[in-house]
Amino acid sequence: MSPRSASVNEELRRRSRERLLQSAVELVGEHGYDATTLGDIADRAGSARGLVSYYFPGKRQLVQSAVHRLMHRTLEEALEREPRTEDGRERMARAIDAILGLARERPVLMRQHMAGMLQAEGFVQCPEQQRLSHLLRDTVARRGSADVDADYPRLRALLMGAVYAALVPGAPMPVPVLRTELFERYGLDWDMGRPPGAETTGAAGRSDVSRFFATGRPPAADAPE
């Protein structure tokens, strides 16, 4: 049998990285950051433990990249769901609801993410964070911002503040209250986006994050000549 081609090896490496990202999201969401080790993540991903350091400098960078992937794909899914819309106000409402929804549905994971960003390393400037940034900047632009460079960081800060407020142990603010404040700030109608309590199709399926990670069957090696 011929050795695997460079393209097959590259695809295998990509899928291995995807499995690590997915496993990090699942395990930190289930057990918290401190109780999850790189070995645990590698074991669930079916990867050699030493392979983790090939892709990520350490656990914090891996977990932040994994959560940024979850956030970026959740936001992308919300913005592009049916009925599709180009209305800037509706897209802003969907973006706010998507991020607040993560705080409501994945509190352990998002609390650990917020805590990680308060460490000395701060934001991990990785491709996942850049994709999330691009979607939020585009949302601000489509709403009609005259200064995206100023309005995007403001939106990011407001969303981070709302997530933090929703997750403060012992004194959380209700998500509907935080949503109301953000909607009023951006001049959005309550029935835009996905209002709290609205019936949604496939809600149970959204607990499965596998659709956000390309971890399907690996490609076969090149056929023998």
Side-chain angles (χ1 to χ4, degrees):
M1 180 177 291
S2 301
R4 290 195 299 255
S5 68
S7 62
V8 169
N9 284 330
E10 178 61 28
E11 178 64 11
L12 288 170
R13 285 192 291 270
R14 187 178 72 85
R15 289 174 182 269
S16 178
R17 184 178 184 276
E18 293 283 307
R19 287 194 296 272
L20 290 170
L21 290 169
Q22 180 179 339
S23 297
V25 163
E26 292 173 347
L27 285 168
V28 174
E30 293 167 10
H31 306 296
Y33 180 84
D34 291 336
T36 300
T37 67
L38 285 175
D40 295 333
I41 295 171
D43 288 346
R44 177 167 292 195
S47 299
R49 299 189 183 193
L51 190 61
V52 179
S53 60
Y54 176 80
Y55 298 108
F56 303 98
K59 184 171 75 166
R60 191 168 302 284
Q61 290 84 353
L62 166 56
V63 171
Q64 278 210 38
S65 291
V67 178
H68 281 136
R69 164 67 70 84
L70 177 65
M71 294 175 71
H72 135 244
R73 290 301 305 276
T74 298
L75 177 57
E76 181 179 61
E77 186 175 80
L79 293 172
E80 301 306 320
R81 74 169 183 264
E82 297 295 339
R84 300 283 293 276
T85 181
E86 298 300 321
D87 179 78
R89 293 174 68 241
E90 171 63 23
R91 292 177 72 86
M92 177 65 78
R94 292 185 183 191
I96 291 170
D97 282 340
I99 301 303
L100 289 181
L102 284 172
R104 182 180 61 251
E105 296 163 12
R106 304 185 187 279
V108 173
L109 185 68
M110 294 302 292
R111 188 178 293 118
Q112 298 293 337
H113 180 61
M114 297 299 294
M117 290 191 296
L118 295 176
Q119 302 298 313
E121 299 91 341
F123 269 117
V124 172
Q125 297 295 330
C126 65
E128 305 303 338
Q129 188 274 330
Q130 292 166 4
R131 293 184 183 105
L132 175 63
S133 173
H134 172 77
L135 285 177
L136 288 174
R137 288 181 65 91
D138 181 68
T139 299
V140 168
R142 292 196 192 206
R143 184 181 168 273
S145 170
D147 188 354
V148 174
D149 288 338
D151 291 337
Y152 156 66
R154 185 175 297 112
L155 172 63
R156 183 183 65 195
L158 288 169
L159 289 173
M160 289 173 60
V163 169
Y164 180 84
L167 297 176
V168 174
M173 286 188 66
V175 168
V177 172
L178 295 165
R179 182 183 193 267
T180 296
E181 292 180 354
L182 287 170
F183 270 43
E184 288 178 353
R185 183 180 185 95
Y186 287 101
L188 308 176
D189 300 331
W190 177 261
D191 59 355
M192 288 180 164
R194 180 165 276 161
E199 293 296 325
T200 58
T201 302
R206 288 197 299 277
S207 63
D208 178 7
V209 300
S210 62
R211 67 191 184 283
F212 294 153
F213 302 90
T215 56
R217 296 182 62 183
D222 290 352
E225 298 179 357

